[in-house]
Amino acid sequence: MNKQDVITFFDRLAPDWDADMIRDDGIINKILDIAGIKNGADVLDVACGTGVLFPDYLARNVGSLTAIDISPEMARIAQSKFPEVQVVCGDVETANFGKKFDCIVVYNAFPHFPDPEKLIKVLSNLLKPGGMLTVAHGMSRAQIDRHHEGTASKVSVGLMHEDALAEIFAKYVTVTEKISDDKMYAVCGTK
């Protein structure tokens, strides 16, 4: 998977992203609960898209919200909708944030990272002691894989089994949650 292809793909989709988004507030709240998103937390939203979860973080009165997306158009739209959020356009695997985070969330984006272990290693190093790293999807693994067939297949890999992801997490954080059912997928770990 070529990162430039990912950028081009998501830049093209960005203008209609919000209109095409399907949300399940119950699942999102469950994910944010297990991710430790709460009052005062310093949060990093990885592959934030157009800021789909920003209202959810802000409603929980997080201490700070930093977001990053590799797509300039996604980052531009997110920043224009939420000027109070620090939105970075860049590659999270090479970015320097100058700080560490209580909570890092990768929501509905994990299959777009070609090297899962590299990503988890980088993100775990951005956690404060006791911080929580969460990879989650608001759909099941099978639904995500079906969703990425066709045009998205060039910019995504299959969503790995939760046990395999938990094994990678365990090298860098303590796994605290592993969920894969017909409604959601999530693996969480604390530093």
Side-chain angles (χ1 to χ4, degrees):
M1 177 184 344
N2 178 302
K3 288 185 181 186
Q4 185 57 52
D5 290 340
V6 172
I7 292 168
T8 301
F9 181 83
F10 285 102
D11 275 352
R12 184 174 50 79
L13 294 178
D16 298 317
W17 194 257
D18 290 345
D20 294 339
M21 181 58 54
I22 298 170
R23 280 184 60 105
D24 183 320
D25 290 338
I27 290 174
I28 288 171
N29 282 322
K30 183 174 181 178
I31 289 168
L32 297 182
D33 287 346
I34 64 173
I37 307 299
K38 61 186 177 199
N39 187 5
D42 294 319
V43 177
L44 175 62
D45 184 335
V46 176
C48 67
T50 59
V52 170
L53 293 182
F54 291 4
D56 304 285
Y57 297 129
L58 296 172
R60 290 172 178 241
N61 297 311
V62 298
S64 70
L65 176 54
T66 304
I68 187 166
D69 202 287
I70 199 168
S71 160
E73 193 60 15
M74 289 284 194
R76 184 193 67 74
I77 291 170
Q79 188 68 82
S80 71
K81 290 170 31 186
F82 299 93
E84 70 275 28
V85 176
Q86 180 186 1
V87 179
V88 176
C89 179
D91 183 345
V92 71
E93 293 177 342
T94 59
N96 180 0
F97 296 99
K99 68 179 195 175
K100 296 195 181 246
F101 301 91
D102 297 304
C103 304
I104 300 175
V105 178
V106 183
Y107 176 70
N108 284 354
F110 193 67
H112 304 294
F113 291 91
D115 187 344
E117 183 156 354
K118 179 180 179 184
L119 177 66
I120 299 307
K121 181 179 181 181
V122 166
L123 296 180
S124 69
N125 286 325
L126 292 172
L127 286 173
K128 293 178 184 177
M132 181 74 73
L133 171 60
T134 303
V135 170
H137 294 272
M139 290 187 252
S140 71
R141 188 164 41 93
Q143 289 170 313
I144 290 291
D145 287 345
R146 279 193 304 275
H147 180 72
H148 288 143
E149 292 174 350
T151 58
S153 64
K154 185 176 180 182
V155 295
S156 61
V157 294
L159 185 55
M160 64 187 354
H161 192 280
E162 62 278 5
D163 291 336
L165 181 55
E167 286 180 23
I168 294 172
F169 263 60
K171 294 178 183 180
Y172 306 100
V173 296
T174 301
V175 176
T176 58
E177 193 83 39
K178 185 173 57 168
I179 302 168
S180 185
D181 58 28
D182 62 342
K183 294 184 180 181
M184 69 178 282
Y185 172 99
V187 176
C188 302
T190 189
K191 182 110 176 165

